[in-house]
Amino acid sequence: MQAEKNYARDYSDAIKSKQAVNGDYSNTGYDRGQLNPSSFQCGDGRIATFTLTNSAPMDASFYTVHLKQWEECVKGILRNQSESEGTAYLVTGTVPSQDRRIPRQEEFDDVSTRDFHRVTVPTHIWTAVCYKHNVDDEKSFSFGYIGLNHPNSTINVMTVPQLNAELPALYGTSIVNIFTDDCFSNNRKSEGIIRLLYQSIQLPISETDASKNNTWDYCCNIDAYPFSALNGMTCKTDHPCDYYGYNYLWCYTTDGKWDYCCSL
């Protein structure tokens, strides 16, 4: 029996020497934030997302409110693409803090039962998304977003080149290139989806700012509204443009898919 206990202790210590353990997060105010979200997976893949190697310490408000909101929008965009017509690639990263680790010894009265300053808390969380259509490059798109790991953070959407340009200063390196060709970041579909994300989650872009960009954008069909979707599809009359529990407009189209709606 003692030999078994010694083995279990040695095994636990071996794991703890290489990665975080559940005890590191206890009573710290940080969640085990998933880098690969469980909602993006199914079956065994979903189970695997709950491992601590897929986790990073995230402020509870940032993770459960801000980041989850973005994940739902990204999932909705990707779900609206045909699985047989293209492939989605997602890259998620963290920016390690130089001086913030958990658990912090000064936050506990009893310091005799745990190890401290073990797990680095990231300052930022970012994701880059690339959808590559098999046949039509105009249906391919990409975008990125990044947020400060803070309860009052704002997550900012941007093009992949813009994210590439922002990360070197955070990482202290000279260059970051997430996708080798930036995944069609300059085409109309990418610009339209970025505009949609701005309008859905962040403050709307003003007409002045939009005109300065001098870029293509999706337009509402005023005659058909509210039965017109962004990509030219027609909404079913029993599922017109509405929020349906989310904070952006969408509808169920006559071609059997959910699609985002433009709002006036």
Side-chain angles (χ1 to χ4, degrees), residues 117-159:
H117 308 290
R118 282 182 25 86
V119 185
T120 301
V121 177
T123 60
H124 296 76
I125 312 294
W126 59 267
T127 294
V129 179
C130 170
Y131 175 79
K132 175 67 173 66
H133 195 274
N134 294 334
V135 178
D136 188 353
D137 286 347
E138 289 302 312
K139 295 181 179 180
S140 300
F141 61 85
S142 66
F143 60 92
Y145 56 96
I146 186 170
L148 186 66
N149 189 14
H150 187 274
N152 299 317
S153 175
T154 298
I155 298 179
N156 297 310
V157 63
M158 57 191 66
T159 66

Side-chain angles (χ1 to χ4, degrees), residues 23-219:
D24 291 321
Y25 286 87
S26 179
N27 300 318
T28 63
Y30 286 95
D31 283 349
R32 292 171 296 180
Q34 294 180 333
L35 302 177
N36 179 5
S38 61
S39 62
F40 283 32
Q41 308 296 329
C42 58
D44 290 342
R46 175 167 292 181
I47 295 174
T49 64
F50 290 95
T51 60
L52 283 167
T53 50
N54 185 47
S55 301
M58 297 188 195
D59 175 87
S61 295
F62 171 77
Y63 181 58
T64 60
V65 178
H66 303 293
L67 195 60
K68 288 294 186 182
Q69 184 183 48
W70 273 87
E71 289 173 357
E72 285 299 311
C73 279
V74 171
K75 185 169 64 174
I77 289 171
L78 297 179
R79 183 180 289 165
N80 198 47
Q81 316 306 316
S82 172
E83 292 183 9
S84 62
E85 293 180 354
T87 303
Y89 304 90
L90 286 81
V91 180
T92 296
T94 64
V95 179
S97 170
Q98 298 299 316
D99 55 8
R100 179 74 175 177
R101 290 176 177 265
I102 61 165
R104 298 181 68 182
Q105 185 170 341
E106 57 269 29
E107 296 174 350
F108 295 88
D109 295 329
D110 182 7
V111 299
S112 62
T113 59
R114 63 191 303 171
D115 296 327
F116 293 96
H117 308 290
R118 282 182 25 86
V119 185
T120 301
V121 177
T123 60
H124 296 76
I125 312 294
W126 59 267
T127 294
V129 179
C130 170
Y131 175 79
K132 175 67 173 66
H133 195 274
N134 294 334
V135 178
D136 188 353
D137 286 347
E138 289 302 312
K139 295 181 179 180
S140 300
F141 61 85
S142 66
F143 60 92
Y145 56 96
I146 186 170
L148 186 66
N149 189 14
H150 187 274
N152 299 317
S153 175
T154 298
I155 298 179
N156 297 310
V157 63
M158 57 191 66
T159 66
V160 171
Q162 287 172 331
L163 184 57
N164 286 337
E166 184 161 332
L167 290 177
L170 296 174
Y171 282 118
T173 186
S174 59
I175 187 170
V176 171
N177 193 13
I178 303 170
F179 302 118
T180 55
D181 58 359
D182 290 338
C183 188
F184 307 95
S185 59
N186 293 322
N187 72 3
R188 192 166 71 175
K189 185 77 178 275
S190 296
E191 293 171 355
I193 285 179
I194 288 173
R195 181 65 57 84
L196 173 68
L197 288 168
Y198 265 119
Q199 294 173 340
S200 298
I201 303 181
Q202 299 178 300
L203 293 175
I205 300 174
S206 68
E207 291 184 5
T208 302
D209 290 339
S211 62
K212 287 180 180 178
N213 291 336
N214 193 29
T215 58
W216 288 93
D217 193 15
Y218 293 101
C219 299

Side-chain angles (χ1 to χ4, degrees), residues 218-229 241 262-264:
Y218 293 101
C219 299
C220 289
N221 181 343
I222 297 176
D223 294 333
Y225 189 82
F227 306 110
S228 178
C241 291
C262 44
S263 57
L264 296 176

Side-chain angles (χ1 to χ4, degrees), residues 236 238-246 248-252 258:
K236 298 184 70 173
D238 58 345
H239 286 80
C241 291
D242 206 340
Y243 292 96
Y244 298 103
Y246 292 84
Y248 47 85
L249 293 169
W250 58 343
C251 72
Y252 196 71
W258 285 94

